[in-house]
Coordinates of all heavy atoms in Angstrom, one line a residue:
E292 N 13.1 -76.4 -88.6 CA 14.1 -76.2 -89.6 C 15.4 -75.5 -89.0 O 16.5 -75.9 -89.2 CB 13.7 -75.4 -90.8 CG 12.9 -76.2 -91.8 CD 12.6 -75.3 -93.0 OE1 13.4 -74.5 -93.4 OE2 11.6 -75.6 -93.7
V293 N 15.1 -74.5 -88.1 CA 16.2 -73.8 -87.5 C 16.9 -74.7 -86.5 O 18.1 -74.7 -86.4 CB 15.7 -72.5 -86.8 CG1 16.7 -71.9 -85.9 CG2 15.2 -71.5 -87.8
K294 N 16.1 -75.5 -85.8 CA 16.7 -76.4 -84.8 C 17.5 -77.5 -85.5 O 18.7 -77.8 -85.1 CB 15.6 -77.1 -84.0 CG 16.0 -78.0 -82.9 CD 14.9 -78.4 -82.0 CE 14.7 -79.9 -82.1 NZ 13.6 -80.5 -81.4
D295 N 17.0 -78.0 -86.6 CA 17.8 -79.0 -87.4 C 19.1 -78.4 -88.0 O 20.1 -79.1 -88.0 CB 16.9 -79.6 -88.5 CG 15.8 -80.5 -88.0 OD1 15.8 -80.9 -86.8 OD2 14.8 -80.7 -88.8
A296 N 19.0 -77.2 -88.4 CA 20.2 -76.5 -89.0 C 21.2 -76.3 -87.9 O 22.4 -76.5 -88.1 CB 19.8 -75.2 -89.6
A297 N 20.8 -75.9 -86.7 CA 21.7 -75.7 -85.6 C 22.3 -77.0 -85.2 O 23.6 -77.0 -84.9 CB 20.9 -75.1 -84.4
F298 N 21.6 -78.1 -85.1 CA 22.2 -79.4 -84.8 C 23.1 -79.8 -85.8 O 24.2 -80.5 -85.5 CB 21.1 -80.4 -84.6 CG 20.4 -80.4 -83.2 CD1 19.0 -80.4 -83.1 CD2 21.2 -80.2 -82.1 CE1 18.4 -80.4 -81.8 CE2 20.6 -80.1 -80.8 CZ 19.2 -80.2 -80.7
A299 N 22.8 -79.6 -87.1 CA 23.7 -80.0 -88.2 C 25.1 -79.2 -88.1 O 26.1 -79.7 -88.4 CB 23.1 -79.7 -89.5
I300 N 25.0 -77.9 -87.7 CA 26.2 -77.1 -87.6 C 27.0 -77.4 -86.4 O 28.2 -77.6 -86.5 CB 25.8 -75.6 -87.6 CG1 25.2 -75.2 -89.0 CG2 27.0 -74.7 -87.3 CD1 24.7 -73.8 -89.0
F301 N 26.4 -77.5 -85.2 CA 27.1 -77.6 -84.0 C 27.2 -79.1 -83.5 O 27.8 -79.3 -82.5 CB 26.4 -76.8 -82.9 CG 26.5 -75.3 -83.3 CD1 25.3 -74.6 -83.5 CD2 27.7 -74.6 -83.4 CE1 25.3 -73.3 -83.8 CE2 27.7 -73.3 -83.7 CZ 26.5 -72.6 -83.9
G302 N 26.4 -80.0 -84.1 CA 26.5 -81.4 -83.7 C 25.5 -81.6 -82.5 O 24.9 -80.6 -81.9
K303 N 25.3 -82.8 -82.1 CA 24.3 -83.1 -81.0 C 25.0 -83.2 -79.7 O 25.8 -83.5 -79.1 CB 23.6 -84.4 -81.4 CG 22.7 -84.2 -82.5 CD 21.8 -85.4 -82.8 CE 20.8 -85.1 -83.9 NZ 19.9 -86.0 -84.1

Side-chain angles (χ1 to χ4, degrees):
E292 280 188 32
V293 170
K294 186 172 117 181
D295 291 342
F298 280 134
I300 293 171
F301 300 114
K303 293 186 177 188

